[in-house]
Amino acid sequence: MKSKINAFMKEVEERNGHEPEFMQAVQEVAETVIPYIVGQDIYHGKNILMRMVEPERAVTFRVAWVDDQGEIQVNRGYRIQMNSAIGPYKGGLRFHPTVNMSILKFLAFEQVFKNSLTTLPMGGGKGGSDFDPKGKSDSEIMRFCQSFMTELYRHIGPNTDVPAGDIGVGGREIGYLYGMYKRLKNEFTGVLTGKGMSWGGSLIRPEATGYGTVYFAENMLKTRDDSIKGKTVLISGSGNVAQYATEKATQLGAKVVTLSDSAGYIHDADGIDAEKLAFVMELKNVKRGRIKEYVKKYPSAKYVAGKTPWSEKCDVALPCATQNEVNGEDAKMLLSNGCFVVSEGANMPSDLDAVHEFLNAKILYAPGKASNAGGVATSGLEMSQNSLRMNWTREEVDSKLKEIMANIHAACIQYGNDGNGYIDYVKGANIAGFVKVADAMLAQGVV
Ligand code: NDP
Protein backbone atom coordinates (compact mmCIF):
# COMPACT_ATOMS: atom_id res chain seq x y z
CA MET A 1 0.00 0.00 0.00
CA LYS A 2 2.81 2.38 0.95
CA SER A 3 4.33 1.92 -2.52
CA LYS A 4 1.01 2.76 -4.21
CA ILE A 5 0.73 5.95 -2.15
CA ASN A 6 4.37 6.86 -2.86
CA ALA A 7 3.94 6.27 -6.61
CA PHE A 8 0.86 8.49 -6.65
CA MET A 9 2.58 11.24 -4.66
CA LYS A 10 5.64 11.09 -6.93
CA GLU A 11 3.46 11.78 -9.94
CA VAL A 12 1.68 14.63 -8.13
CA GLU A 13 5.05 16.05 -7.10
CA GLU A 14 6.35 16.14 -10.67
CA ARG A 15 3.70 18.73 -11.49
CA ASN A 16 3.21 20.40 -8.11
CA GLY A 17 6.42 19.86 -6.12
CA HIS A 18 6.95 23.61 -5.76
CA GLU A 19 3.63 23.93 -3.88
CA PRO A 20 4.31 22.62 -0.34
CA GLU A 21 0.92 23.34 1.26
CA PHE A 22 -0.90 21.76 -1.67
CA MET A 23 1.37 18.68 -1.54
CA GLN A 24 0.65 18.38 2.22
CA ALA A 25 -3.12 18.48 1.71
CA VAL A 26 -2.93 15.88 -1.08
CA GLN A 27 -0.64 13.62 1.00
CA GLU A 28 -3.13 13.59 3.89
CA VAL A 29 -5.95 12.59 1.56
CA ALA A 30 -3.88 10.03 -0.38
CA GLU A 31 -2.85 8.22 2.84
CA THR A 32 -6.47 7.39 3.61
CA VAL A 33 -8.27 7.40 0.26
CA ILE A 34 -5.85 5.23 -1.78
CA PRO A 35 -6.23 2.23 0.59
CA TYR A 36 -10.01 2.64 0.22
CA ILE A 37 -9.91 2.91 -3.60
CA VAL A 38 -7.84 -0.27 -3.83
CA GLY A 39 -10.67 -2.25 -2.27
CA GLN A 40 -13.42 -0.83 -4.52
CA ASP A 41 -13.70 -2.25 -8.05
CA ILE A 42 -15.67 0.70 -9.45
CA TYR A 43 -12.67 3.01 -9.16
CA HIS A 44 -10.15 0.70 -10.85
CA GLY A 45 -8.58 2.09 -14.01
CA LYS A 46 -10.32 5.45 -13.66
CA ASN A 47 -7.36 7.49 -12.35
CA ILE A 48 -9.97 9.23 -10.24
CA LEU A 49 -7.80 10.75 -7.50
CA MET A 50 -5.37 12.19 -10.05
CA ARG A 51 -8.33 13.83 -11.80
CA MET A 52 -9.43 15.34 -8.46
CA VAL A 53 -5.97 16.74 -7.77
CA GLU A 54 -5.93 18.81 -10.97
CA PRO A 55 -8.05 22.02 -10.78
CA GLU A 56 -10.74 22.25 -13.44
CA ARG A 57 -9.63 25.84 -13.95
CA ALA A 58 -7.27 28.32 -12.25
CA VAL A 59 -7.18 32.01 -13.12
CA THR A 60 -4.77 34.70 -11.99
CA PHE A 61 -5.21 38.35 -12.76
CA ARG A 62 -3.80 41.82 -12.16
CA VAL A 63 -5.51 43.95 -9.53
CA ALA A 64 -4.39 47.57 -9.91
CA TRP A 65 -5.74 50.17 -7.49
CA VAL A 66 -4.93 53.67 -6.22
CA ASP A 67 -3.97 54.18 -2.55
CA ASP A 68 -4.80 57.22 -0.40
CA GLN A 69 -1.53 58.90 -1.40
CA GLY A 70 -2.48 58.67 -5.08
CA GLU A 71 0.12 55.93 -5.74
CA ILE A 72 -0.80 53.04 -8.03
CA GLN A 73 -0.52 49.65 -6.32
CA VAL A 74 -0.53 46.27 -8.04
CA ASN A 75 -1.63 43.00 -6.45
CA ARG A 76 -2.34 39.55 -7.83
CA GLY A 77 -5.85 38.06 -7.82
CA TYR A 78 -6.71 34.35 -8.05
CA ARG A 79 -9.66 32.02 -8.39
CA ILE A 80 -9.16 28.25 -8.31
CA GLN A 81 -12.18 26.33 -9.62
CA MET A 82 -11.23 22.92 -8.33
CA ASN A 83 -14.20 20.61 -8.85
CA SER A 84 -17.81 21.11 -9.96
CA ALA A 85 -18.98 17.47 -10.07
CA ILE A 86 -21.67 17.91 -7.42
CA GLY A 87 -22.54 21.62 -7.71
CA PRO A 88 -21.30 25.13 -8.53
CA TYR A 89 -17.79 25.95 -7.24
CA LYS A 90 -18.03 27.26 -3.69
CA GLY A 91 -15.33 28.52 -1.35
CA GLY A 92 -13.96 31.66 0.24
CA LEU A 93 -11.73 34.53 -0.80
CA ARG A 94 -8.59 35.17 1.28
CA PHE A 95 -6.80 38.54 1.36
CA HIS A 96 -3.41 38.04 3.02
CA PRO A 97 0.19 38.75 1.93
CA THR A 98 1.03 35.02 2.08
CA VAL A 99 -1.59 34.11 -0.55
CA ASN A 100 -0.14 32.21 -3.52
CA MET A 101 -1.05 29.32 -5.81
CA SER A 102 0.03 26.65 -3.31
CA ILE A 103 -2.07 28.03 -0.44
CA LEU A 104 -5.15 28.50 -2.62
CA LYS A 105 -4.87 25.07 -4.27
CA PHE A 106 -4.61 23.38 -0.86
CA LEU A 107 -7.64 25.33 0.35
CA ALA A 108 -9.62 24.56 -2.83
CA PHE A 109 -8.72 20.86 -2.63
CA GLU A 110 -9.84 20.67 1.03
CA GLN A 111 -12.99 22.54 0.10
CA VAL A 112 -14.05 19.86 -2.40
CA PHE A 113 -14.14 17.21 0.37
CA LYS A 114 -15.63 19.57 2.94
CA ASN A 115 -18.47 20.68 0.68
CA SER A 116 -19.24 17.10 -0.22
CA LEU A 117 -19.46 16.24 3.50
CA THR A 118 -22.10 18.93 4.11
CA THR A 119 -24.49 16.87 1.89
CA LEU A 120 -25.39 20.12 0.05
CA PRO A 121 -24.89 20.42 -3.72
CA MET A 122 -21.67 22.46 -3.76
CA GLY A 123 -18.45 21.94 -5.70
CA GLY A 124 -15.13 23.31 -4.41
CA GLY A 125 -13.17 26.46 -5.14
CA LYS A 126 -11.06 29.12 -3.44
CA GLY A 127 -9.57 32.48 -4.35
CA GLY A 128 -8.16 35.70 -3.07
CA SER A 129 -5.20 38.00 -3.32
CA ASP A 130 -1.80 38.78 -1.80
CA PHE A 131 -3.31 42.15 -0.81
CA ASP A 132 -2.73 42.96 2.90
CA PRO A 133 -5.78 44.66 4.42
CA LYS A 134 -3.89 45.50 7.64
CA GLY A 135 -3.37 49.24 8.05
CA LYS A 136 -5.43 50.12 4.97
CA SER A 137 -8.12 52.80 5.17
CA ASP A 138 -11.74 51.96 4.52
CA SER A 139 -11.56 53.76 1.14
CA GLU A 140 -8.49 51.76 0.13
CA ILE A 141 -10.24 48.51 1.03
CA MET A 142 -13.23 49.59 -1.07
CA ARG A 143 -11.12 50.56 -4.10
CA PHE A 144 -9.20 47.30 -3.90
CA CYS A 145 -12.38 45.20 -3.65
CA GLN A 146 -13.92 47.05 -6.59
CA SER A 147 -10.85 46.54 -8.75
CA PHE A 148 -10.67 42.85 -7.76
CA MET A 149 -14.29 42.33 -8.79
CA THR A 150 -13.91 44.04 -12.18
CA GLU A 151 -12.04 40.90 -13.26
CA LEU A 152 -13.49 38.22 -10.95
CA TYR A 153 -17.07 38.86 -12.10
CA ARG A 154 -16.36 37.18 -15.47
CA HIS A 155 -15.63 33.88 -13.76
CA ILE A 156 -18.38 33.65 -11.13
CA GLY A 157 -22.19 33.55 -10.98
CA PRO A 158 -24.97 32.09 -8.82
CA ASN A 159 -24.99 28.85 -10.84
CA THR A 160 -21.27 28.84 -11.66
CA ASP A 161 -19.14 29.86 -8.70
CA VAL A 162 -20.23 31.47 -5.43
CA PRO A 163 -17.35 32.91 -3.33
CA ALA A 164 -17.54 33.81 0.38
CA GLY A 165 -15.17 35.26 3.01
CA ASP A 166 -12.03 33.82 4.59
CA ILE A 167 -8.98 35.40 6.28
CA GLY A 168 -9.06 39.17 5.65
CA VAL A 169 -12.47 39.03 3.96
CA GLY A 170 -15.42 39.69 6.27
CA GLY A 171 -18.78 41.44 5.99
CA ARG A 172 -17.26 44.78 4.94
CA GLU A 173 -15.29 43.31 2.03
CA ILE A 174 -18.20 41.12 0.88
CA GLY A 175 -20.32 44.30 0.75
CA TYR A 176 -17.86 46.16 -1.49
CA LEU A 177 -17.37 43.10 -3.72
CA TYR A 178 -21.11 42.55 -4.04
CA GLY A 179 -21.77 46.22 -4.86
CA MET A 180 -19.37 46.10 -7.80
CA TYR A 181 -20.65 42.74 -9.06
CA LYS A 182 -24.22 44.04 -9.04
CA ARG A 183 -23.19 47.16 -10.92
CA LEU A 184 -21.26 45.22 -13.58
CA LYS A 185 -23.90 42.54 -14.15
CA ASN A 186 -27.01 44.64 -13.45
CA GLU A 187 -28.54 41.81 -11.49
CA PHE A 188 -29.32 41.10 -7.86
CA THR A 189 -28.39 37.46 -7.30
CA GLY A 190 -26.86 35.27 -4.62
CA VAL A 191 -23.40 35.38 -6.20
CA LEU A 192 -21.57 35.81 -2.88
CA THR A 193 -22.38 34.50 0.58
CA GLY A 194 -21.74 36.21 3.90
CA LYS A 195 -23.91 39.13 2.74
CA GLY A 196 -25.55 41.63 5.10
CA MET A 197 -29.00 40.78 6.43
CA SER A 198 -30.81 43.54 4.52
CA TRP A 199 -29.38 42.46 1.14
CA GLY A 200 -29.70 38.70 0.98
CA GLY A 201 -27.58 37.44 3.88
CA SER A 202 -28.48 34.60 6.24
CA LEU A 203 -28.82 34.73 9.99
CA ILE A 204 -26.11 32.67 11.71
CA ARG A 205 -23.70 32.83 8.71
CA PRO A 206 -21.14 34.97 10.60
CA GLU A 207 -21.35 32.61 13.59
CA ALA A 208 -21.53 29.34 11.65
CA THR A 209 -17.89 28.24 11.33
CA GLY A 210 -17.07 28.84 15.00
CA TYR A 211 -20.37 27.43 16.26
CA GLY A 212 -20.04 24.39 14.00
CA THR A 213 -16.51 23.68 15.26
CA VAL A 214 -17.84 23.56 18.82
CA TYR A 215 -20.89 21.48 17.81
CA PHE A 216 -18.49 19.00 16.19
CA ALA A 217 -16.42 18.81 19.41
CA GLU A 218 -19.65 18.16 21.33
CA ASN A 219 -20.56 15.35 18.91
CA MET A 220 -17.14 13.76 19.43
CA LEU A 221 -17.33 14.11 23.21
CA LYS A 222 -20.78 12.48 23.19
CA THR A 223 -19.19 9.26 21.85
CA ARG A 224 -17.36 9.10 25.22
CA ASP A 225 -20.46 10.09 27.24
CA ASP A 226 -18.87 13.46 27.89
CA SER A 227 -19.55 17.10 26.98
CA ILE A 228 -17.67 20.39 26.67
CA LYS A 229 -19.29 21.74 29.86
CA GLY A 230 -16.67 22.49 32.49
CA LYS A 231 -13.76 21.93 30.09
CA THR A 232 -10.80 24.31 29.74
CA VAL A 233 -10.42 25.36 26.10
CA LEU A 234 -7.52 26.90 24.16
CA ILE A 235 -8.49 28.88 21.06
CA SER A 236 -6.03 30.45 18.61
CA GLY A 237 -6.82 33.40 16.38
CA SER A 238 -9.12 36.27 17.28
CA GLY A 239 -10.96 36.71 13.99
CA ASN A 240 -14.36 35.53 12.84
CA VAL A 241 -13.96 31.81 13.56
CA ALA A 242 -12.18 32.25 16.91
CA GLN A 243 -14.72 34.79 18.17
CA TYR A 244 -17.77 32.63 17.56
CA ALA A 245 -16.06 29.44 18.73
CA THR A 246 -15.39 31.32 21.98
CA GLU A 247 -19.02 32.45 22.17
CA LYS A 248 -20.50 28.97 21.66
CA ALA A 249 -18.01 27.14 23.91
CA THR A 250 -18.73 29.65 26.69
CA GLN A 251 -22.50 29.37 26.19
CA LEU A 252 -22.17 25.60 26.57
CA GLY A 253 -20.37 25.98 29.91
CA ALA A 254 -16.70 25.68 28.89
CA LYS A 255 -13.95 28.06 30.00
CA VAL A 256 -12.01 29.57 27.08
CA VAL A 257 -8.64 30.82 28.33
CA THR A 258 -6.68 31.90 25.24
CA LEU A 259 -6.99 33.90 22.01
CA SER A 260 -4.18 35.01 19.69
CA ASP A 261 -3.11 36.84 16.56
CA SER A 262 -0.01 36.59 14.41
CA ALA A 263 2.01 38.57 17.01
CA GLY A 264 1.25 36.50 20.15
CA TYR A 265 -1.43 35.17 22.48
CA ILE A 266 -3.32 36.17 25.62
CA HIS A 267 -4.10 33.80 28.51
CA ASP A 268 -6.90 34.65 30.90
CA ALA A 269 -7.14 32.05 33.68
CA ASP A 270 -10.56 33.37 34.73
CA GLY A 271 -11.98 32.64 31.28
CA ILE A 272 -13.05 34.92 28.41
CA ASP A 273 -16.70 35.45 29.29
CA ALA A 274 -19.40 37.20 27.24
CA GLU A 275 -18.40 40.69 28.40
CA LYS A 276 -14.71 40.13 27.63
CA LEU A 277 -15.60 38.64 24.25
CA ALA A 278 -17.68 41.73 23.43
CA PHE A 279 -14.53 43.80 24.13
CA VAL A 280 -12.50 41.55 21.77
CA MET A 281 -15.13 41.84 19.03
CA GLU A 282 -15.14 45.63 19.26
CA LEU A 283 -11.32 45.66 19.34
CA LYS A 284 -10.89 43.36 16.31
CA ASN A 285 -13.93 44.11 14.14
CA VAL A 286 -14.44 47.85 14.68
CA LYS A 287 -11.15 49.31 15.93
CA ARG A 288 -9.10 46.73 13.98
CA GLY A 289 -6.67 46.52 16.94
CA ARG A 290 -4.28 43.82 18.19
CA ILE A 291 -5.00 41.11 20.77
CA LYS A 292 -2.27 42.34 23.15
CA GLU A 293 -4.57 45.27 24.01
CA TYR A 294 -6.72 42.73 25.93
CA VAL A 295 -4.29 42.77 28.87
CA LYS A 296 -4.52 46.55 29.20
CA LYS A 297 -8.24 46.18 29.75
CA TYR A 298 -7.98 42.95 31.82
CA PRO A 299 -4.63 43.17 33.65
CA SER A 300 -4.99 39.82 35.41
CA ALA A 301 -4.51 38.16 32.00
CA LYS A 302 -1.04 37.71 30.48
CA TYR A 303 0.23 38.42 26.97
CA VAL A 304 2.94 36.21 25.47
CA ALA A 305 4.58 37.77 22.41
CA GLY A 306 5.72 35.71 19.43
CA LYS A 307 4.20 32.41 20.65
CA THR A 308 1.15 30.24 19.99
CA PRO A 309 -1.13 29.13 22.87
CA TRP A 310 -0.34 25.38 22.70
CA SER A 311 1.91 25.23 25.79
CA GLU A 312 -0.99 26.10 28.11
CA LYS A 313 -2.97 23.47 30.04
CA CYS A 314 -6.32 22.45 28.56
CA ASP A 315 -8.82 19.68 27.86
CA VAL A 316 -9.86 20.95 24.44
CA ALA A 317 -7.93 22.82 21.70
CA LEU A 318 -9.68 24.67 18.89
CA PRO A 319 -7.08 26.00 16.40
CA CYS A 320 -8.92 28.83 14.59
CA ALA A 321 -6.17 31.00 13.03
CA THR A 322 -4.36 29.57 10.00
CA GLN A 323 -2.63 26.60 8.32
CA ASN A 324 0.28 24.79 10.01
CA GLU A 325 -0.08 26.66 13.30
CA VAL A 326 0.24 23.38 15.29
CA ASN A 327 3.43 21.39 14.64
CA GLY A 328 4.54 18.00 16.00
CA GLU A 329 6.20 19.56 19.06
CA ASP A 330 3.09 21.62 19.83
CA ALA A 331 0.98 18.47 19.53
CA LYS A 332 3.23 16.59 21.99
CA MET A 333 2.97 19.49 24.43
CA LEU A 334 -0.81 19.60 24.15
CA LEU A 335 -1.04 15.85 24.78
CA SER A 336 1.33 15.93 27.75
CA ASN A 337 -0.72 18.78 29.27
CA GLY A 338 -3.91 16.71 29.15
CA CYS A 339 -5.56 17.84 25.91
CA PHE A 340 -7.81 15.06 24.58
CA VAL A 341 -10.05 16.90 22.09
CA VAL A 342 -8.89 18.87 19.03
CA SER A 343 -11.53 20.30 16.72
CA GLU A 344 -10.08 22.42 13.93
CA GLY A 345 -11.82 25.72 13.09
CA ALA A 346 -9.04 26.76 10.71
CA ASN A 347 -8.10 24.90 7.51
CA MET A 348 -5.20 22.43 7.95
CA PRO A 349 -3.94 24.11 11.16
CA SER A 350 -2.14 20.90 12.20
CA ASP A 351 0.86 19.86 10.12
CA LEU A 352 1.30 16.18 9.17
CA ASP A 353 3.49 15.47 12.24
CA ALA A 354 0.85 16.93 14.55
CA VAL A 355 -1.91 14.92 12.86
CA HIS A 356 0.07 11.72 13.35
CA GLU A 357 0.70 12.58 17.04
CA PHE A 358 -3.04 13.09 17.64
CA LEU A 359 -4.02 9.89 15.83
CA ASN A 360 -1.34 7.80 17.56
CA ALA A 361 -2.52 9.10 20.94
CA LYS A 362 -6.10 8.13 19.91
CA ILE A 363 -7.60 11.39 21.11
CA LEU A 364 -10.77 12.90 19.67
CA TYR A 365 -9.23 14.71 16.69
CA ALA A 366 -11.32 16.33 13.93
CA PRO A 367 -9.68 17.71 10.77
CA GLY A 368 -10.94 21.10 9.60
CA LYS A 369 -12.63 19.72 6.52
CA ALA A 370 -15.13 18.04 8.87
CA SER A 371 -15.23 20.31 11.92
CA ASN A 372 -15.21 23.72 10.20
CA ALA A 373 -17.70 22.75 7.47
CA GLY A 374 -20.49 24.62 9.30
CA GLY A 375 -19.44 27.87 7.61
CA VAL A 376 -19.79 26.66 4.06
CA ALA A 377 -22.88 24.63 4.99
CA THR A 378 -24.58 27.82 6.17
CA SER A 379 -23.39 29.54 3.00
CA GLY A 380 -25.24 26.74 1.21
CA LEU A 381 -28.31 27.61 3.28
CA GLU A 382 -27.85 31.27 2.30
CA MET A 383 -27.84 30.22 -1.37
CA SER A 384 -31.06 28.25 -0.84
CA GLN A 385 -32.74 31.22 0.85
CA ASN A 386 -31.62 33.50 -2.02
CA SER A 387 -33.09 31.12 -4.59
CA LEU A 388 -36.34 30.85 -2.63
CA ARG A 389 -36.29 34.63 -2.00
CA MET A 390 -37.04 34.15 1.66
CA ASN A 391 -35.30 34.29 5.04
CA TRP A 392 -35.27 31.57 7.65
CA THR A 393 -35.24 32.48 11.35
CA ARG A 394 -32.14 32.29 13.52
CA GLU A 395 -33.53 29.15 15.21
CA GLU A 396 -34.25 27.48 11.86
CA VAL A 397 -30.73 28.10 10.52
CA ASP A 398 -29.06 27.11 13.80
CA SER A 399 -31.01 23.86 13.99
CA LYS A 400 -30.12 23.02 10.36
CA LEU A 401 -26.46 23.79 11.18
CA LYS A 402 -26.56 21.46 14.21
CA GLU A 403 -28.16 18.75 12.11
CA ILE A 404 -25.53 19.10 9.35
CA MET A 405 -22.66 18.92 11.88
CA ALA A 406 -24.24 15.78 13.40
CA ASN A 407 -24.59 14.26 9.91
CA ILE A 408 -20.95 15.01 9.07
CA HIS A 409 -19.97 13.40 12.36
CA ALA A 410 -22.04 10.33 11.51
CA ALA A 411 -20.42 10.10 8.04
CA CYS A 412 -16.97 10.21 9.67
CA ILE A 413 -17.97 7.37 11.98
CA GLN A 414 -19.28 5.34 9.04
CA TYR A 415 -15.93 5.42 7.22
CA GLY A 416 -13.49 6.18 10.06
CA ASN A 417 -13.75 3.22 12.42
CA ASP A 418 -10.26 1.70 12.66
CA GLY A 419 -11.65 -1.75 13.54
CA ASN A 420 -10.74 -1.46 17.23
CA GLY A 421 -13.44 1.03 18.11
CA TYR A 422 -11.29 4.16 17.62
CA ILE A 423 -12.76 6.72 15.21
CA ASP A 424 -10.12 8.10 12.86
CA TYR A 425 -11.96 11.25 11.78
CA VAL A 426 -9.27 12.04 9.16
CA LYS A 427 -9.91 8.77 7.38
CA GLY A 428 -13.67 9.12 7.89
CA ALA A 429 -13.86 12.65 6.50
CA ASN A 430 -11.57 11.97 3.55
CA ILE A 431 -13.36 8.82 2.40
CA ALA A 432 -16.90 10.12 3.00
CA GLY A 433 -16.04 13.35 1.14
CA PHE A 434 -14.34 11.44 -1.67
CA VAL A 435 -17.09 8.90 -2.38
CA LYS A 436 -19.80 11.39 -3.34
CA VAL A 437 -17.55 13.48 -5.61
CA ALA A 438 -15.84 10.47 -7.20
CA ASP A 439 -19.14 8.73 -7.95
CA ALA A 440 -20.52 11.89 -9.58
CA MET A 441 -17.35 12.20 -11.68
CA LEU A 442 -17.62 8.58 -12.84
CA ALA A 443 -21.25 9.15 -13.84
CA GLN A 444 -20.32 12.28 -15.82
CA GLY A 445 -17.60 10.59 -17.89
CA VAL A 446 -14.08 11.77 -18.66
CA VAL A 447 -14.40 15.57 -18.73
P1 NDP B 1 -10.02 36.32 10.11
O1 NDP B 1 -9.29 37.14 9.13
O2 NDP B 1 -11.30 36.82 10.66
O3 NDP B 1 -9.07 36.01 11.37
C1 NDP B 1 -7.86 35.35 11.19
C2 NDP B 1 -7.16 35.23 12.53
O4 NDP B 1 -6.04 34.37 12.41
C3 NDP B 1 -6.61 36.56 13.03
O5 NDP B 1 -6.63 36.58 14.43
C4 NDP B 1 -5.18 36.54 12.48
O6 NDP B 1 -4.26 37.35 13.19
C5 NDP B 1 -4.82 35.09 12.65
N1 NDP B 1 -3.81 34.74 11.66
C6 NDP B 1 -3.89 34.88 10.32
N2 NDP B 1 -2.75 34.50 9.73
C7 NDP B 1 -1.94 34.11 10.73
C8 NDP B 1 -0.62 33.61 10.77
N3 NDP B 1 0.10 33.43 9.64
N4 NDP B 1 -0.10 33.29 11.98
C9 NDP B 1 -0.82 33.47 13.13
N5 NDP B 1 -2.09 33.95 13.14
C10 NDP B 1 -2.62 34.26 11.97
O7 NDP B 1 -10.20 34.88 9.44
P2 NDP B 1 -11.23 33.73 9.80
O8 NDP B 1 -11.48 33.71 11.26
O9 NDP B 1 -12.36 33.83 8.87
O10 NDP B 1 -10.40 32.44 9.37
C11 NDP B 1 -9.56 31.73 10.27
C12 NDP B 1 -9.30 30.33 9.74
O11 NDP B 1 -10.57 29.64 9.61
C13 NDP B 1 -8.63 30.23 8.38
O12 NDP B 1 -7.82 29.08 8.34
C14 NDP B 1 -9.82 30.04 7.43
O13 NDP B 1 -9.43 29.41 6.21
C15 NDP B 1 -10.68 29.13 8.28
N6 NDP B 1 -12.09 29.08 7.89
C16 NDP B 1 -12.85 30.21 7.87
C17 NDP B 1 -14.18 30.15 7.52
C18 NDP B 1 -15.09 31.33 7.60
O14 NDP B 1 -16.30 31.13 7.47
N7 NDP B 1 -14.60 32.53 7.83
C19 NDP B 1 -14.78 28.87 7.09
C20 NDP B 1 -13.93 27.72 7.24
C21 NDP B 1 -12.63 27.85 7.61
P3 NDP B 1 -3.69 38.69 12.51
O15 NDP B 1 -4.78 39.70 12.68
O16 NDP B 1 -2.46 39.01 13.29
O17 NDP B 1 -3.40 38.37 11.08
Side-chain angles (χ1 to χ4, degrees):
M1 191 57 63
K2 196 123 193 91
S3 65
K4 279 198 167 63
I5 297 169
N6 288 344
F8 174 81
M9 288 308 299
K10 189 163 175 285
E11 201 179 330
V12 177
E13 187 163 15
E14 275 162 17
R15 245 178 279 162
N16 307 280
H18 56 293
E19 296 175 339
E21 292 85 3
F22 179 58
M23 290 298 298
Q24 180 184 338
V26 174
Q27 171 90 34
E28 189 215 273
V29 165
E31 282 176 5
T32 48
V33 167
I34 290 177
Y36 175 77
I37 291 177
V38 168
Q40 306 289 319
D41 288 347
I42 56 163
Y43 302 122
H44 287 180
K46 306 290 184 190
N47 212 6
I48 194 75
L49 197 54
M50 194 56 78
R51 284 154 68 186
M52 288 172 75
V53 161
E54 196 59 30
E56 288 177 13
R57 186 175 302 104
V59 291
T60 72
F61 50 94
R62 180 176 68 210
V63 187
W65 57 283
V66 180
D67 69 17
D68 286 349
Q69 285 68 49
E71 302 285 336
I72 298 167
Q73 303 291 338
V74 180
N75 286 96
R76 188 171 290 171
Y78 302 83
R79 188 70 184 164
I80 315 295
Q81 298 181 328
M82 199 76 195
N83 194 301
S84 62
I86 62 168
Y89 309 106
K90 179 91 197 89
L93 297 171
R94 176 176 291 192
F95 292 168
H96 195 272
T98 57
V99 161
N100 58 32
M101 211 46 150
S102 173
I103 301 262
L104 293 179
K105 277 174 67 182
F106 114 65
L107 288 164
F109 186 66
E110 293 268 301
Q111 196 81 45
V112 172
F113 293 80
K114 184 191 310 195
N115 293 4
S116 165
L117 283 170
T118 66
T119 70
L120 302 175
M122 300 182 289
K126 201 85 190 188
S129 173
D130 57 1
F131 172 73
D132 186 358
K134 273 201 204 94
K136 302 289 188 301
S137 71
D138 204 55
S139 317
E140 288 177 324
I141 299 281
M142 182 177 75
R143 287 197 294 276
F144 175 80
C145 288
Q146 290 176 338
S147 178
F148 185 82
M149 188 51 89
T150 56
E151 174 59 32
L152 185 70
Y153 88 100
R154 291 174 224 287
H155 310 286
I156 62 176
N159 296 311
T160 307
D161 184 351
V162 184
D166 190 76
I167 291 178
V169 179
R172 173 181 61 166
E173 291 75 18
I174 293 290
Y176 294 145
L177 291 163
Y178 190 73
M180 185 49 97
Y181 180 86
K182 188 165 64 61
R183 177 163 198 191
L184 290 164
K185 296 286 283 193
N186 193 25
E187 60 182 40
F188 194 102
T189 51
V191 70
L192 291 163
T193 56
K195 300 187 288 299
M197 275 313 297
S198 60
W199 42 282
S202 172
L203 287 162
I204 302 282
R205 175 60 191 93
E207 293 90 335
T209 309
Y211 279 19
T213 303
V214 175
Y215 292 152
F216 201 91
E218 273 289 65
N219 277 294
M220 291 198 292
L221 280 157
K222 218 186 284 170
T223 65
R224 296 189 182 177
D225 293 324
D226 204 345
S227 85
I228 202 164
K229 192 168 179 201
K231 301 284 184 296
T232 298
V233 180
L234 303 183
I235 294 184
S236 61
S238 48
N240 171 269
V241 180
Q243 291 171 15
Y244 288 107
T246 303
E247 180 167 282
K248 185 50 71 182
T250 307
Q251 284 171 0
L252 295 177
K255 183 162 82 166
V256 177
V257 293
T258 61
L259 286 171
S260 70
D261 60 23
S262 50
Y265 77 90
I266 58 108
H267 182 270
D268 185 339
D270 299 328
I272 301 163
D273 62 16
E275 183 211 309
K276 292 171 181 174
L277 179 61
F279 168 79
V280 172
M281 286 183 170
E282 168 86 8
L283 173 72
K284 298 299 290 187
N285 308 346
V286 182
K287 296 185 179 149
R288 311 228 170 238
R290 310 299 298 159
I291 200 65
K292 71 175 176 203
E293 291 165 54
Y294 184 95
V295 295
K296 279 193 208 140
K297 173 85 176 164
Y298 303 107
S300 63
K302 69 171 176 182
Y303 175 67
V304 182
K307 294 265 191 303
T308 51
W310 314 126
S311 58
E312 301 289 347
K313 261 188 137 34
C314 72
D315 306 299
V316 178
L318 307 177
C320 295
T322 192
Q323 64 277 351
N324 291 329
E325 55 168 319
V326 185
N327 61 29
E329 289 308 308
D330 297 326
K332 281 187 196 146
M333 203 138 55
L334 280 166
L335 294 168
S336 69
N337 276 333
C339 177
F340 71 102
V341 183
V342 177
S343 184
E344 295 181 343
N347 285 309
M348 209 170 73
S350 307
D351 73 9
L352 283 171
D353 290 343
V355 173
H356 293 145
E357 289 291 337
F358 294 144
L359 293 179
N360 289 339
K362 296 201 183 305
I363 64 161
L364 297 170
Y365 165 63
K369 63 171 80 72
S371 48
N372 73 31
V376 72
T378 310
S379 278
L381 301 177
E382 184 173 328
M383 289 164 72
S384 303
Q385 292 170 82
N386 292 161
S387 297
L388 294 167
R389 299 199 189 282
M390 62 184 289
N391 292 321
W392 294 327
T393 64
R394 203 178 159 80
E395 291 69 29
E396 279 173 308
V397 181
D398 196 29
S399 88
K400 287 182 205 297
L401 170 63
K402 273 190 196 141
E403 195 183 319
I404 289 170
M405 297 316 293
N407 289 341
I408 295 172
H409 183 262
C412 290
I413 289 192
Q414 185 188 345
Y415 289 103
N417 200 317
D418 75 347
N420 299 311
Y422 174 65
I423 305 303
D424 177 340
Y425 288 90
V426 177
K427 178 176 156 199
N430 286 343
I431 298 175
F434 166 82
V435 166
K436 189 173 162 195
V437 177
D439 291 1
M441 288 175 75
L442 292 188
Q444 292 166 21
V446 180
V447 289

